[in-house]
Amino acid sequence: MTPSQFVSQCTASAMSDAAKLLHDGGLVAFPTETVYGLGADACNDQAVAKIYEVKGRPSDHPLIVHVSSMNHLGQWASEIPDFAIKLARDFWPGPMTLILKRSEFAKDFITGGQDTVGVRVPNHVVALALLEAAEQIGIKGIAAPSANRFGHVSPTSAAAVQAELGAFMNETDLVLDGGSCAVGVESTIIDCTGDIPRVLRPGAITDEMIVESTGLKIFRNDRFIDGGEGFVFVQPKEEIRVSGSLENHYSPDATVILDQQPTVGQGFIALASIATPEGVIRLAAPTTNEEFAQHLYTALREGDNQGLQQIVVVQPEGSGIAVAVRDRLSRAANGR
Ligand code: TXA
Ligand code: MG
């Protein structure tokens, strides 16, 4: 139980040291624009096994492979439909993961034995510098789940990574400090193995943006979304394993209660326009839905740090990133 090293000077030499560590089978936690990831060389089964140990995550849950640009997509995926290329062009680097038929590079220890692979180009200078340094020494991609213990809230700062995983990482492992994450909730996951995009996890790349980019109708929550004309229910496709889609993910230790009047001693998260009742502990007062997403996980963590038993959250309404915020909140409210 030794804490890992903490690197805040993300210089070129720090990046090449971190890349070497990945090459040697070590773990590097790094910032992305969504949340911090816990990275390993995606072709090294033993290094990837350490991710599962540190997270305490079941080993059949697939991992996202991070690459520095869409030029590397063809290495990991064997079939790339035109609409996936359109999405990659429009939104990478960015908060979007594409699920595609895998190539021979994507082994079972990455895909959880499924015949698909998740790929993402993150939009963060430190993540991209790390990926480029790693690719220069022959690493083909960095496998990285969110850098939290399984089922817990994703970290959006290096300090939160340290608090979550410091006790489980090796002393030679690294945490790169790239400040707080701009988006604050995990990437939109889009299954591109069918005829049209299917959103498996909502995020900052919204339904509207996907429809606009691809010109196609999309599936989400097994509903058919056609950019405004309403929903048509369809049969769910065969089950795909997305651990972030478990009903009780993204949970703090405190009980999360949605859309109720908070009482004395409870934590409270709501838009700034909603006042704090007397005796209630305000954890965040974002002014926009984007800020809501950005501060949500820090606020839930803060509630835990203060030892609060309950946190009441007034959910943001409407479309856009509010959909992702409500998705995470409903799972957090389901408990651990
Ligand atoms: O924003 C993000 O996506 C962050 C940053 C670090 O990139 N990563 C992240 O990873 O959230 P993770 O492992 O915590 O969540 C990724 C989700 C998991 O629920 C996993 O099951 C799903 O993506 N996933 C990965 N590969 C998949 C595949 N081939 N098919 C279906 N789901 C997949
Ligand atoms: Mg996660």
Side-chain angles (χ1 to χ4, degrees), residues 20 34 49 110 120-122 131 144 146 159 241 261 274 282 313:
K20 278 192 210 107
T34 57
I110 289 294
R120 174 160 116 83
V121 180
L131 283 162
S146 51
R241 223 177 287 125
Q261 183 70 12
I274 302 171
R282 189 69 176 233
V313 187

Side-chain angles (χ1 to χ4, degrees), residues 83-84 87 91 96 98 188-192 194-203 205-235 237 323:
F83 75 79
L87 288 167
F91 302 124
M96 176 184 74
L98 299 181
T188 306
I189 301 181
I190 308 172
D191 174 10
C192 300
D195 296 337
I196 60 171
R198 181 164 187 261
V199 176
L200 302 179
R201 180 175 72 182
I205 302 302
T206 62
D207 293 351
E208 295 83 350
M209 292 161 80
I210 299 166
V211 168
E212 161 99 27
S213 163
T214 61
L216 295 171
K217 300 176 177 189
I218 65 174
F219 282 115
R220 184 162 65 76
N221 295 341
D222 306 315
R223 287 178 303 193
F224 200 29
I225 296 172
D226 61 8
E229 289 162 49
F231 298 128
V232 179
F233 283 85
V234 296
Q235 285 300 317
K237 279 200 346 187
V323 175

Side-chain angles (χ1 to χ4, degrees), residues 8-27:
S8 55
Q9 252 81 41
C10 293
T11 56
S13 70
M15 291 301 133
S16 64
D17 288 350
K20 278 192 210 107
L21 177 62
L22 289 171
H23 198 260
D24 294 343
L27 299 183

Side-chain angles (χ1 to χ4, degrees), residues 30-39 51-52 55 57 60-66 94-102 110-112 114-122 142-148 150 154-155 183 185-189 191 193 200-201 240-246 249-250 328:
F30 61 95
T32 81
E33 79 281 32
T34 57
V35 300
Y36 274 69
L38 178 65
I51 291 181
Y52 287 94
K55 273 191 72 96
R57 177 171 172 169
D60 59 350
H61 283 245
L63 296 173
I64 297 171
V65 177
H66 297 71
M96 176 184 74
T97 296
L98 299 181
I99 306 293
L100 296 153
K101 284 270 180 261
R102 68 172 168 182
I110 289 294
T111 71
Q114 305 184 81
D115 63 351
T116 57
V117 63
V119 184
R120 174 160 116 83
V121 180
I142 300 179
S146 51
N148 52 278
F150 183 62
S154 298
V183 174
V185 292
E186 304 80 357
S187 62
T188 306
I189 301 181
D191 174 10
T193 61
L200 302 179
R201 180 175 72 182
I240 303 178
R241 223 177 287 125
V242 190
S243 65
S245 70
L246 293 179
H249 234 65
Y250 311 105
R328 305 308 190 274

